[in-house]
Amino acid sequence: MKRSHHVRVRDERSPSPRSLGWPPISIGRGRILLTLNQSRSVVVVPFLTFTVWVCAVESTILLAEKVFMGSVSLLEKILRRRSGRIYPCAPLVEDEELGTAAYPMVIVQIPMYNEKEVYHLSIGAACSLQWPADRLVVQVLDDSTAFFSSGVLQDLVQKCQKWLAKGVDLTYETRGDRRGYKAGALEGMKLSYFKECDYVAIFDADFQPESDFLIRTVPLFALVQARWKFVKANECLMTRMQEMSMDYHFKVEQESGSSAYAFFGFNGTAGVWRTHAINEAGGWKDRTTVEDMDLAIRATLLGWKFIYLGDVKVPIPSTFKAYRNQQHRWSCEPETLVWKIAMEIVNNKFLTQYIVILQKVSLWRKFYLMYNFFLVRRIIFHLVTFCYSSIVIPTLPFFPEVQIPFWSIGYIPIMITLLNCVGTPRSIHLVVLSFLFENVMSLHPSKVVIIGLLEVGRVNEWVVTKKLGPNPNMSQTGGCKFSWNAIAKYFTRFHLLELGVGIYLVVCTSYNYAHHKNYYFIFIYLQSLAFIIVGVGYVGIFIPNSK
């Protein structure tokens, strides 16, 4: 009986696994690789292509907004249309008949929580403000816990008594819990003596207003926001980066919002409110931890106008952990607030009342509030900065089929970075470092933007920024004695998420260098180095956790 011979014919049009350089594989493994290859072509590559173009469009939108805001700010400087010139007010003076009664009643609120390093600075500065003593009340709102030792508390009480002896109307208020965080503390305005006050000035515990602050701000509008001027910008490289970011925020974003729309987000401190505007807007609410922005939005929807004005010297966080916690609150809660306000308008039974309210606000201000203030600056900015520069671009070497427009990774990022530096010309030489630092810092804001929109995880977490005081202790003591606590404190300096992204970028860099002839690997390498430096705790001042 003859044995039949079966000849397997292969289609020459399809490459064999061996021609591709693959080792001999089993039929099952071949099917898996074939499925993965098809998924790559059908799903992954189209998805990455779509993502690239979405990021490119969002980058263009972001650049357009920055150019517009910068143009408005520049025009204000050229035409000298500062707020003080647009809304001139005669200086307040004592009336011959009324005397000091010609001055409105002002209360200065200082909310604080376990801030033993700096409380005496803000209390002293508030009590030294130029204003008739009988028309000024200083209210210390202390939510501090047992962390305040008896010695610190005694010193605080003594300082209050010292100012009382000088004729300052100083009150010290405490609560049994921290319900509502800062918004709950600011409900000190419900006390009986607050009803007599026409204006309220708010300063965080580390803010030191200049003595003429009230003279320059009280005669103006519903809200006057002063600029934060940093007094510790040269402390380390991280504070220089923060200075560049916050100077742009105040000199461009806040000034353009004030000039073009008479609205901006209240920064929560260094501002003066009309008490009537606060009461009409419904007062402070603790539904989010950005109670300042919440109140500002509700007040502007009622037709109140805000102006940006002035200079106030304040310190800024100089530890990476403190800065990151601060960014978490600033980035996460605005998205939560958008949903709550939108649902409140949709579901409220007094919908007609909201319609009447919204008719008081111009279409221009409504557009700015939803498009520029929320969509571009608080969602697109964070997402596109991190996703495009630290995820999409580094991943593309693994998918050479995906084409990326050079203008979206070359011209636009350069222009955006240069615009971010216009507020701090003295730091223009740090533009490259600023670009890398902003990309690293965008990691957490992009994450918490999603958390805020979905209202999950740490959505309502409030971590008070660590205040270092004028003479911070920045070194550990204790010698080389072994202890588990010392080891635990040492490892608090590491940030695993930043390290993980940095390692991933190193892998992408190595693959790009080995298999492609483009020069993307230079940028990816620098970005990976920035993530790793931040991840190992070599940015800012390291303050070990204390008991």
Side-chain angles (χ1 to χ4, degrees):
M1 182 176 182
K2 294 183 180 181
R3 181 179 298 177
S4 61
H5 296 278
H6 298 279
V7 179
R8 180 176 296 175
V9 180
R10 180 174 57 85
D11 187 355
E12 296 295 336
R13 293 174 297 177
S14 60
S16 65
R18 188 175 296 276
S19 67
L20 294 175
W22 296 349
I25 55 177
S26 64
I27 296 178
R29 185 180 175 188
R31 289 178 178 175
I32 293 175
L33 290 176
L34 181 61
T35 302
L36 291 176
N37 190 40
Q38 290 177 344
S39 300
R40 171 192 177 98
S41 303
V42 177
V43 179
V44 180
V45 171
F47 175 76
L48 278 177
T49 303
F50 173 77
T51 303
V52 165
W53 283 102
V54 168
C55 291
V57 171
E58 290 180 345
S59 298
T60 306
I61 292 174
L62 181 61
L63 176 62
E65 286 301 314
K66 287 186 175 291
V67 169
F68 171 76
M69 291 187 295
S71 301
V72 171
S73 181
L74 179 62
L75 187 63
E76 295 300 306
K77 291 179 174 59
I78 293 176
L79 300 179
R80 298 181 181 275
R81 295 183 70 255
R82 297 285 181 159
S83 300
R85 295 175 177 266
I86 301 174
Y87 312 110
C89 293
L92 293 172
V93 295
E94 289 191 25
D95 188 89
E96 294 183 358
E97 298 181 358
L98 299 177
T100 58
Y103 287 79
M105 196 74 179
V106 178
I107 186 169
V108 179
Q109 290 186 314
I110 307 175
M112 54 189 293
Y113 175 72
N114 291 348
E115 292 162 303
K116 63 179 181 179
E117 296 85 1
V118 294
Y119 68 86
H120 59 283
L121 300 176
S122 56
I123 293 176
C127 293
S128 301
L129 290 170
Q130 299 176 15
W131 203 255
D134 60 332
R135 309 297 293 174
L136 178 67
V137 178
V138 178
Q139 185 185 54
V140 179
L141 304 167
D142 190 2
D143 277 357
S144 301
T145 61
F147 180 78
F148 257 31
S149 64
S150 58
V152 174
L153 184 59
Q154 183 180 2
D155 179 69
L156 191 153
V157 173
Q158 288 178 352
K159 282 183 169 55
C160 291
Q161 291 176 346
K162 180 187 75 172
W163 288 107
L164 286 171
K166 293 183 177 181
V168 178
D169 188 356
L170 176 62
T171 64
Y172 181 78
E173 307 289 347
T174 60
R175 298 192 299 162
D177 55 45
R178 289 195 71 210
R179 181 180 54 82
Y181 301 111
K182 185 177 178 179
L186 291 174
E187 285 300 313
M189 63 182 294
K190 293 182 178 179
L191 298 174
S192 58
Y193 60 84
F194 194 98
K195 297 178 181 178
E196 303 175 1
C197 300
D198 304 298
Y199 293 87
V200 53
I202 303 171
F203 300 102
D204 284 349
D206 56 344
F207 277 53
Q208 305 170 53
E210 297 177 357
S211 60
D212 62 346
F213 181 87
L214 294 180
I215 298 293
R216 297 163 60 189
T217 57
V218 164
L220 301 172
F221 280 35
L223 168 65
V224 178
Q225 173 68 64
R227 182 173 75 88
W228 301 0
K229 184 178 180 180
F230 303 100
V231 296
K232 290 186 179 182
N234 295 323
E235 192 172 72
C236 62
L237 181 61
M238 195 192 75
T239 53
R240 292 289 295 272
M241 299 297 103
Q242 292 180 68
E243 181 192 38
M244 296 171 68
S245 175
M246 295 306 293
D247 276 353
Y248 176 83
H249 169 68
F250 280 101
K251 293 182 179 181
V252 178
E253 293 178 343
Q254 297 289 71
E255 187 169 351
S256 63
S258 171
S259 303
Y261 309 95
F263 168 75
F264 46 81
F266 176 44
N267 292 103
T269 183
V272 179
W273 278 90
R274 285 182 184 266
T275 55
H276 180 57
I278 295 178
N279 293 329
E280 186 176 340
W284 300 100
K285 293 185 178 181
D286 58 4
R287 57 183 177 176
T288 70
T289 56
V290 284
E291 72 296 323
D292 42 14
M293 187 184 299
D294 187 3
L295 178 61
I297 292 172
R298 285 184 278 117
T300 196
L301 291 178
L302 289 170
W304 289 97
K305 295 183 178 181
F306 308 157
I307 65 169
Y308 165 81
L309 181 72
D311 252 341
V312 178
K313 293 182 178 181
V314 297
I316 57 178
S318 54
T319 67
F320 176 75
K321 184 176 180 180
Y323 184 67
R324 189 175 63 178
N325 288 333
Q326 187 183 69
Q327 293 299 308
H328 175 94
R329 188 173 77 249
W330 289 354
S331 302
C332 178
E333 290 299 323
E335 285 70 38
T336 306
L337 181 61
V338 172
W339 284 113
K340 290 185 177 180
I341 289 180
M343 296 307 297
E344 188 176 86
I345 293 176
V346 172
N347 297 328
N348 199 293
K349 60 182 179 180
F350 301 109
L351 183 58
T352 56
Q353 176 184 352
Y354 281 97
I355 294 176
V356 173
I357 290 174
L358 291 174
Q359 288 175 350
K360 298 180 182 180
V361 183
S362 66
L363 182 62
W364 185 239
R365 293 179 78 189
K366 296 175 192 175
F367 176 79
Y368 168 75
L369 179 63
M370 297 307 300
Y371 177 74
N372 179 290
F373 188 72
F374 280 115
L375 178 62
V376 177
R377 285 165 53 186
R378 284 168 175 79
I379 297 179
I380 290 180
F381 172 72
H382 296 306
L383 291 178
V384 75
T385 300
F386 173 71
C387 294
Y388 204 24
S389 63
S390 301
I391 298 296
V392 177
I393 294 176
T395 305
L396 290 183
F398 297 103
F399 300 90
E401 307 95 322
V402 180
Q403 300 297 318
I404 183 169
F406 179 77
W407 55 265
S408 69
I409 60 173
Y411 303 131
I412 288 183
I414 292 174
M415 295 177 66
I416 290 177
T417 303
L418 292 175
L419 287 173
N420 286 338
C421 298
V422 298
T424 316
R426 75 184 187 95
S427 298
I428 192 67
H429 62 287
L430 299 175
V431 62
V432 176
L433 294 178
S434 173
F435 175 74
L436 297 175
F437 178 76
E438 287 295 332
N439 288 343
V440 175
M441 288 311 304
S442 64
L443 166 61
H444 284 276
S446 61
K447 179 186 71 174
V448 300
V449 161
I450 300 175
I451 292 175
L453 289 173
L454 301 179
E455 295 193 59
V456 296
R458 298 166 52 199
V459 65
N460 287 318
E461 182 182 57
W462 179 293
V463 180
V464 175
T465 304
K466 176 67 175 176
K467 312 301 191 302
L468 302 181
N471 299 303
N473 180 16
M474 296 175 290
S475 62
Q476 297 190 62
T477 60
C480 299
K481 184 178 179 180
F482 173 82
S483 70
W484 290 111
N485 288 335
I487 295 177
K489 288 182 179 180
Y490 175 78
F491 280 102
T492 58
R493 73 180 301 139
F494 295 103
H495 309 287
L496 298 182
L497 195 54
E498 284 77 9
L499 279 174
V501 176
I503 293 172
Y504 173 73
L505 293 182
V506 169
V507 174
C508 296
T509 304
S510 303
Y511 185 86
N512 193 3
Y513 178 76
H515 295 86
H516 299 282
K517 296 182 179 180
N518 60 56
Y519 293 96
Y520 291 168
F521 73 91
I522 298 177
F523 161 75
I524 303 174
Y525 173 74
L526 292 175
Q527 192 63 73
S528 65
L529 187 62
F531 270 99
I532 291 174
I533 290 175
V534 171
V536 297
Y538 280 94
V539 171
I541 296 173
F542 174 60
I543 306 295
N545 292 332
S546 58
K547 294 182 180 180

